């Protein structure tokens, strides 16, 4: 885990985290929480960045690659360990669970980096490894935050609460219509065309003064603050579940709009990492929709 998360841990919280993970998946047998080693084995995890992004890794020992680690040994004391990531973990803060910011800032931008890493893969997975949302907060979930978590559970992110009760499987949306009854969409982010079975991502969010604000001398516009994370957390589950349900997800209106607004300045290297991550989301959605329609 990163240093920010490790700084929060004491013996009791560490035990609760290990217990929560091993109850959720007894096959894991997670034994220790360590600082993420500076090793090529963790290059992808370090690239995913974020002060709270973590991984569950399996270790083998170079002294005998075919041997399993003895259960009595501490991983931190093993000579020349070799690691392989088995699960990507998004770790929440332990503080207040604000409306949507709690989920959006826990999952992103690390999830965008994981998606970018699988962009050229033949499938349409969000990540090469399973993903866990490890929730360290204690306050009750608001309905809005709970629904957002459930929407990501529906697309494959496991929810592992440390202090709360687990969510019920029966509450996870199984289809697009169920999800849409919970999603707060006022037409700003997408339009639902039930007759044609299409979800159309519109450009209303990407106008000056909303997600786009004046930039610098290098570029006219940039993505504002952390607002893009709320957009991603609302749009991505809808797009994934729609495609799985055989609907078409159309990004064309928003992409054409961005080309016009950004114009010749649309060199993504100059528009910054927030815009590049947004493009990663759109490219994934396009690929998802194309594969679903085949």
């Amino acid at each position: 885990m990163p240093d920010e998360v490790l700084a929060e841990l004491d013996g009791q919280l560490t035990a609760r985290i290990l217990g929560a993970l091993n109850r959720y998946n007894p096959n894991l047998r997670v034994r220790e929480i360590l600082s993420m080693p500076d090793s090529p084995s963790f290059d992808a995890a370090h690239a995913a960045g974020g002060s709270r992004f973590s991984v569950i890794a399996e270790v083998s020992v170079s002294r005998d690659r075919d041997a399993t680690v003895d259960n009595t040994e501490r991983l931190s004391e093993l000579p020349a360990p070799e690691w392989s990531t088995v699960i990507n973990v998004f770790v929440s803060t332990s503080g207040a669970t604000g409306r949507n910011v709690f989920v959006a800032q826990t999952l992103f931008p690390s999830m965008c980096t994981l998606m970018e890493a699988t962009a050229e893969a033949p499938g349409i997975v969000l990540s090469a490894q399973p993903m866990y949302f490890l929730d360290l907060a204690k306050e009750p979930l608001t309905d809005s935050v709970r629904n957002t978590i459930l929407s990501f559970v529906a697309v494959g992110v496991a929810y592992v609460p440390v202090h709360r009760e687990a969510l019920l499987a029966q509450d996870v949306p199984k289809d697009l219509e169920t999800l849409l009854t919970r999603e707060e969409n006022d037409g700003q982010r997408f339009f639902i065309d039930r007759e044609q079975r299409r979800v159309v991502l519109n450009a209303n969010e990407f106008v000056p003064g909303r997600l786009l604000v004046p930039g610098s001398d290098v570029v006219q516009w940039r993505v504002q603050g952390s607002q893009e994370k709320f957009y991603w957390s609302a749009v991505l589950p809808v797009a994934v579940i729609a495609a799985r349900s055989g609907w078409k997800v159309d990004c064309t209106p928003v992409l054409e709009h961005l080309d016009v607004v950004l114009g010749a300045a649309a060199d993504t290297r100059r528009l910054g990492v927030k815009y590049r991550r947004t493009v990663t989301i759109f490219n994934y959605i396009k690929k998802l929709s194309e594969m679903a329609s085949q």
Side-chain angles (χ1 to χ4, degrees), residues 210-223:
R210 291 183 69 89
L211 286 184
L212 296 180
V213 293
S216 63
D217 294 337
V218 177
V219 62
Q220 184 178 4
W221 304 104
R222 62 179 175 82
V223 177

Side-chain angles (χ1 to χ4, degrees), residues 81-285:
E82 296 180 356
W83 306 84
S84 58
T85 296
V86 293
I87 294 173
N88 293 309
V89 184
F90 309 99
V91 185
S92 83
T93 62
S94 56
T97 57
R99 182 177 179 274
N100 287 343
V101 65
F102 176 70
V103 178
Q105 292 190 341
T106 298
L107 296 178
F108 299 107
S110 297
M111 185 178 286
C112 291
T113 306
L114 297 178
M115 293 169 64
E116 190 171 33
T118 61
E120 302 303 321
I124 50 175
V125 294
L126 288 167
S127 165
Q129 292 85 23
M131 295 177 290
Y132 282 15
F133 183 123
L134 183 64
D135 183 1
L136 302 187
K138 298 179 181 180
E139 292 189 1
L141 292 173
T142 64
D143 288 343
S144 176
V145 170
R146 181 175 178 276
N147 286 339
T148 303
I149 292 173
L150 285 167
S151 71
F152 276 98
V153 173
V155 301
V157 180
Y159 177 66
V160 185
V162 173
H163 301 289
R164 307 188 223 268
E165 293 294 323
L167 298 177
L168 298 177
Q170 65 196 45
D171 293 333
V172 178
K174 304 297 192 299
D175 53 58
L176 183 61
E177 290 295 344
T178 303
L179 179 63
L180 291 175
T181 62
R182 303 174 182 176
E183 172 58 37
E184 297 178 11
N185 176 47
D186 56 5
Q188 295 294 332
R189 298 184 177 114
F190 51 83
F191 168 73
I192 303 298
D193 182 350
R194 286 181 170 81
E195 183 176 343
Q196 299 294 324
R197 291 174 59 83
R198 291 192 310 155
V199 175
V200 182
L201 303 188
N202 61 41
N204 295 342
E205 290 272 317
F206 291 90
V207 295
R210 291 183 69 89
L211 286 184
L212 296 180
V213 293
S216 63
D217 294 337
V218 177
V219 62
Q220 184 178 4
W221 304 104
R222 62 179 175 82
V223 177
Q224 177 175 226
S226 295
Q227 296 300 308
E228 81 287 353
K229 295 184 180 70
F230 308 134
Y231 177 86
W232 298 337
S233 67
V235 167
L236 187 57
V238 170
V240 172
I241 292 177
R244 286 180 182 172
S245 303
W247 288 46
K248 181 174 178 57
V249 185
D250 187 1
C251 299
T252 304
V254 67
L255 294 176
E256 289 181 347
H257 168 79
L258 287 171
D259 285 343
V260 172
V261 171
L262 300 172
D267 178 342
T268 58
R269 291 170 299 176
R270 295 185 176 184
L271 285 171
V273 67
K274 291 177 184 292
Y275 180 75
R276 294 201 302 272
R277 288 168 180 156
T278 299
V279 171
T280 295
I281 297 280
F282 290 145
N283 286 340
Y284 175 83
I285 291 173

